[in-house]
């Protein structure tokens, strides 16, 4: 259970909350797209930070590896969904298929 309190895991949880909030805001009519893109950009920076924290403090675990991969897949899926391309579903499916294959 100690792995849940690793700084890198906590950053990952905050990242998922931020992505969920960005998605929620994107569904509101009066939200600026710049705000949503900004939140997703912060989420991407947090992805870099959680990996750096894990390496810095030696908080490398199997759970952390899987959690990081799944949070990447979720955030990428939200980003592709919000992009609205007609082929977004194919990219999302491809990323999830590759992610599951890696696991």
């Amino acid at each position: 259970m100690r792995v849940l309190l690793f700084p890198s895991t906590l950053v990952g949880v905050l990242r998922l909350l931020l992505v969920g909030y960005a998605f929620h805001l994107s569904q509101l009519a009066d939200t600026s797209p710049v705000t949503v893109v900004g939140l997703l950009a912060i989420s991407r920076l947090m992805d870099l930070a959680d990996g750096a924290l894990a390496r810095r403090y030696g908080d490398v675990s199997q759970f952390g590896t899987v959690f990081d991969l799944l949070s990447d897949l979720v955030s990428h899926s939200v980003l592709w969904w919000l992009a609205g391309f007609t082929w977004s579903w194919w990219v999302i499916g491809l990323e999830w298929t590759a992610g599951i294959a890696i696991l």
Side-chain angles (χ1 to χ4, degrees), residues 33-89:
V34 174
T35 302
V36 174
V37 169
L39 290 173
L40 292 172
I42 291 169
S43 168
R44 186 68 195 140
L45 292 173
M46 290 173 75
D47 182 35
L48 298 173
D50 72 359
L53 282 170
R55 286 186 296 280
R56 169 80 167 99
Y57 294 109
D59 295 337
V60 179
S61 68
Q62 192 172 25
F63 171 81
T65 302
V66 171
F67 182 71
D68 186 54
L69 177 63
L70 291 177
S71 62
D72 286 346
L73 290 171
V74 167
S75 63
H76 293 176
S77 296
V78 167
L79 185 61
W80 283 112
W81 170 275
L82 293 178
F85 298 124
T86 56
W87 41 267
S88 292
W89 283 107

Side-chain angles (χ1 to χ4, degrees), residues 11-40:
V11 169
V13 169
L14 287 173
R15 180 174 167 231
L16 285 176
L17 291 172
L18 187 66
V19 167
Y21 184 61
F23 182 77
H24 169 71
L25 286 179
S26 73
Q27 304 305 304
L28 301 176
D30 61 342
T31 302
S32 166
V34 174
T35 302
V36 174
V37 169
L39 290 173
L40 292 172

